[in-house]
Amino acid sequence: MNVVEASGRREFIRLLVGWSLCTRGQLGFDETTVWHQNLKCYEIGVPSKDDPEKSVPYYSADVIIPASRLFGRHCRCFLATDTKPTGLVSEENPIVPTVVIKDSWTFYGKDAGKEDETSLTAGVEELRRQLRKQNRQ
């Protein structure tokens, strides 16, 4: 994609518009972690021990380790509880953590010590292929 040329700029704009139409899951966001604006905390769906297909909600206002890198293995750690807050979480009404939740992910099939920056390019190219396919239909 050469943005110096008109066709490249058109492809770039198409890519941005395509991204704006994607769901959070298609963009790679973790859909099991949701920010509740009305409570000022995260709700984290953790697979149940009894039935991994079901999730148990945990609540956290403290991310002690954020996933701040774009490439490689990521890890977030939350101080959390399974008790839903009754009101706005604040210093006066804090969440009292009972567990630490470690949320981590990696690129499957890669060596654990390597960070794969080409996967972002591959993902963008796959998204472009899908957008072209949709436009032809």
Side-chain angles (χ1 to χ4, degrees):
M1 180 182 316
N2 184 355
V3 295
V4 174
E5 298 173 4
S7 63
R9 289 190 296 273
R10 186 172 24 261
E11 284 292 315
F12 181 68
I13 291 169
R14 231 182 189 166
L15 178 65
L16 294 178
V17 170
W19 279 345
S20 71
L21 299 173
C22 290
T23 65
R24 291 179 59 80
Q26 289 171 321
L27 291 172
F29 286 97
D30 181 1
E31 294 180 314
T32 62
T33 304
V34 178
W35 176 257
H36 286 289
Q37 187 65 33
N38 59 331
L39 295 174
K40 298 286 188 207
C41 71
Y42 290 98
E43 180 178 330
I44 306 160
V46 177
S48 167
K49 286 188 284 186
D50 301 326
D51 185 359
E53 295 297 318
K54 294 183 180 176
S55 66
V56 177
Y58 282 82
Y59 301 90
S60 173
D62 298 313
V63 181
I64 55 177
I65 299 177
S68 56
R69 296 179 303 152
L70 182 59
F71 302 109
R73 293 173 309 280
H74 303 278
C75 177
R76 294 183 296 183
C77 290
F78 299 89
L79 296 175
T81 183
D82 60 351
T83 305
K84 186 175 183 172
T86 56
L88 187 70
V89 175
S90 64
E91 287 185 21
E92 295 79 32
N93 185 29
I95 288 178
V96 178
T98 57
V99 297
V100 174
I101 297 175
K102 180 180 178 188
D103 176 28
S104 63
W105 60 98
T106 186
F107 295 113
Y108 291 105
K110 303 290 180 189
D111 293 336
K114 293 182 180 177
E115 294 187 352
D116 187 5
E117 296 175 3
T118 60
S119 66
L120 179 63
T121 305
V124 168
E125 289 300 319
E126 176 61 27
L127 183 58
R128 287 177 67 203
R129 278 192 292 278
Q130 290 177 7
L131 289 173
R132 282 189 196 124
K133 186 178 176 181
Q134 286 178 350
N135 287 336
R136 286 185 207 130
Q137 295 175 349

